[in-house]
Amino acid sequence: MSNSTRKIKLGLFIQAAGHHVGGWRHPDAQAGGENLSLLQHIAQTAERGKFDLLFIGDGLGTSPNAAPSVVARFEPLTLLGFLSAVTKHIGLAATSSTTYGEPFHMARAFASLDHLSGGRAAWNVVTTSSAETALNFSKDSHPDHSSRYEKAKEFVEVVKGLWDSWEDGAFIHDKESGVFFDKTKLHYLDHKGPNYSVRGPLNVSRPPQGYPVLIQAGSSNTGQDVGAEIADIIFTAQQSLKDAQSFYAGIKSKLAQHGKSPEHFFIMPGLMPIIGKTEQEARDKFDQLSSWVDLSVGLDALSARLGQDVSKFPLDELLPELPETDGAKSRSHLLTALARREQLTVRQLAYRVAGSRGHGVILGTPSQIADHMEEWFAGNAADGFNIMPPYFPGGLEDFVELVVPELQRRGLFRTEYEGRTLRENLGLPRPKSRYARV
């Protein structure tokens, strides 16, 4: 894409109780991850703002100290099936784990969502970092980091193979001849690999998009390699323009070896916008949100991301040196570097994580928020952003009503959707079936 046609991509990261741990306590917030009417309103508001996609994160467990936004929530594919019926254009992305799942189930579920939505499905491929998840799946131990990613690559290849089970146009529904489908366009996968043995074929026709859009969120060295190989979009967390530019350049440089074009691959860091009529009003909003944070929740969130129980450390001393974790390596490294750079105590870091979990936070007027986004976009630090409102629905409504028009005025963001499917709106080509006749 040339600079004259390149546009910012926008995802909405939905956590209905708000991304800021204190967000649910805001007077205008509608609390609850299982508030269906709120979730419908969120999806329709994001579509009114011409967002490319809405994204639902997921986890496979909970705890007494879990953040309000994740302590209880709907299974994402079930929820997106409902939201597909009350939206028309916006992409629908769900997190689903390759560590605790089966390729056939995954292929069938996402193919079904793509059909139900008319070609708007996306899969956020994760390997699950929480070791405790194993206990919910009849396992005594959690796979190590490298083996989780090796398994993920094979898992995705099997899923894509199953999506190709039926060629395009296989279902002809010819009443006169009595031929419902063309048997020559049905293919068995017959995959046999180190982790999976899957015969196929899938009992769902080829998805409207060919393959639903693939997203990956790992930022470790291994995660970057896998993301460059399998994904169309990378979700990431970056704190500074310089670090984001380095990450962006590194990922883009890996694409050619996988036959991919940089223009067809999008890097979207998370961004929490705190919007005010003035910069001071935005700062006051953020201070108010921070005053509502329960320290125990912040410590639990920090412990999960560092792979260490930080509550045992002196809270008002600097974060000590930590051993390497086998959990979420990239987020652990990011937060440790943040603590070292800003000389944050354990308590201060816990409150910071409670605010945005390591993602960027920008405070200011709509123009200042747009300035920040334009600087990162024009400076090859991001192709777009995964927007993380601190509370719902007001935090999203402010962004749609105040920031989106400013981005549109600058020619940085669409005024109408370009197509019908998510791939069309992103400008991504539709993958050909491996069995397609040349």
Side-chain angles (χ1 to χ4, degrees):
M1 284 175 280
S2 67
N3 289 335
S4 61
T5 59
R6 185 170 173 252
K7 302 292 184 184
I8 287 175
K9 307 302 179 186
L10 286 182
L12 173 66
F13 190 168
I14 295 181
Q15 288 192 349
H19 280 277
H20 195 288
V21 168
W24 69 276
R25 298 179 65 181
H26 192 284
D28 297 330
Q30 296 183 33
E34 299 172 330
N35 184 335
L36 191 58
S37 62
L38 172 61
L39 289 161
Q40 177 175 331
H41 176 71
I42 288 170
Q44 292 173 332
T45 300
E47 187 166 78
R48 175 164 56 86
K50 312 302 181 187
F51 274 64
D52 291 88
L53 58 89
L54 57 86
F55 162 59
I56 300 177
D58 195 31
L60 299 172
T62 190
S63 75
N65 289 327
S69 57
V70 299
V71 67
R73 50 189 170 178
F74 291 126
E75 189 282 317
L77 278 162
T78 306
L79 174 59
L80 290 180
F82 167 77
L83 294 179
S84 73
V86 296
T87 55
K88 294 181 179 179
H89 302 285
I90 196 166
L92 306 169
T95 292
S96 203
S97 174
T98 57
T99 306
Y100 297 100
E102 286 292 332
F104 191 93
H105 285 152
M106 202 78 71
R108 191 182 191 204
F110 278 97
S112 297
L113 179 61
D114 209 44
H115 280 287
L116 288 169
S117 63
R120 293 186 283 137
W123 171 24
N124 179 42
V125 181
V126 300
T127 62
T128 301
S129 60
S130 173
E132 291 187 353
T133 303
L135 303 178
N136 290 335
F137 289 86
S138 305
K139 300 182 185 298
D140 296 324
S141 62
H142 186 56
D144 62 47
H145 187 268
S146 60
S147 65
R148 294 200 304 271
Y149 273 105
E150 284 303 315
K151 187 176 181 181
K153 288 196 295 183
E154 184 184 351
F155 192 111
V156 171
E157 282 307 305
V158 173
V159 168
K160 290 163 69 175
L162 289 169
W163 285 334
D164 283 339
S165 294
W166 298 90
E167 293 181 44
D168 294 322
F171 288 85
I172 55 179
H173 303 160
D174 188 335
K175 292 182 179 180
E176 188 169 325
S177 67
V179 177
F180 193 81
F181 65 90
D182 183 345
K183 294 181 181 180
T184 68
K185 293 186 176 183
L186 173 62
H187 303 278
Y188 287 81
L189 181 60
D190 284 326
H191 173 87
K192 294 187 184 299
N195 298 289
Y196 301 103
S197 177
V198 181
R199 187 190 71 160
L202 191 66
N203 56 346
V204 181
S205 62
R206 195 159 193 259
Q209 296 186 100
Y211 303 155
V213 172
L214 294 178
I215 304 168
Q216 210 271 332
S219 295
S220 65
N221 290 333
T222 303
Q224 291 181 48
D225 290 339
V226 172
E229 180 177 349
I230 70 171
D232 303 299
I233 297 173
I234 290 283
F235 287 158
T236 184
Q238 303 294 335
Q239 287 286 336
S240 72
L241 177 63
K242 182 178 179 180
D243 288 346
Q245 288 171 326
S246 177
F247 180 87
Y248 185 98
I251 289 284
K252 296 278 184 168
S253 70
K254 298 175 186 289
L255 299 177
Q257 63 185 293
H258 301 297
K260 294 183 176 182
S261 167
E263 294 114 19
H264 295 148
F265 190 94
F266 306 113
I267 296 171
M268 300 173 64
L271 182 67
M272 179 183 288
I274 311 293
I275 306 166
K277 295 178 182 176
T278 65
E279 185 176 345
Q280 186 57 52
E281 181 181 295
R283 293 189 179 280
D284 291 342
K285 279 186 177 182
F286 187 72
D287 290 343
Q288 184 180 45
L289 287 164
S290 297
S291 73
W292 290 323
V293 173
D294 184 328
L295 179 60
S296 66
V297 174
L299 290 171
D300 191 67
L302 179 58
S303 296
R305 283 155 185 81
L306 293 180
Q308 313 282 336
D309 180 8
V310 300
S311 65
K312 64 186 179 184
F313 301 137
L315 298 186
D316 294 311
E317 294 182 11
L318 298 178
L319 185 71
E321 293 295 328
L322 301 174
E324 185 72 17
T325 175
D326 203 44
K329 290 181 181 292
S330 58
R331 195 58 56 88
S332 175
H333 292 161
L334 182 147
L335 292 173
T336 301
L338 174 65
R340 302 282 181 263
R341 184 171 62 248
E342 298 189 17
Q343 293 291 285
L344 300 177
T345 66
V346 174
R347 185 190 304 273
Q348 290 169 328
L349 186 60
Y351 278 117
R352 185 75 67 91
V353 170
S356 66
R357 301 185 305 286
H359 290 278
V361 179
I362 179 68
L363 290 69
T365 64
S367 181
Q368 288 174 316
I369 303 293
D371 286 345
H372 173 89
M373 296 173 71
E374 183 173 8
E375 180 183 25
W376 280 46
F377 179 66
N380 291 327
D383 295 305
F385 301 88
N386 209 16
I387 301 301
M388 303 166 56
Y391 64 94
F392 285 99
L396 171 61
E397 291 169 342
D398 285 348
F399 188 89
V400 167
E401 293 166 9
L402 301 173
V403 179
V404 166
E406 179 63 20
L407 294 173
Q408 291 170 330
R409 185 187 67 78
R410 300 181 188 198
L412 294 169
F413 188 60
R414 69 164 61 87
T415 55
E416 295 295 339
Y417 285 103
E418 296 83 0
R420 180 68 181 84
T421 71
L422 177 56
R423 285 188 175 274
E424 290 170 346
N425 289 326
L426 290 171
L428 290 173
R430 183 178 186 270
K432 291 183 179 179
S433 168
R434 66 194 65 194
Y435 306 110
R437 279 73 164 172
V438 178

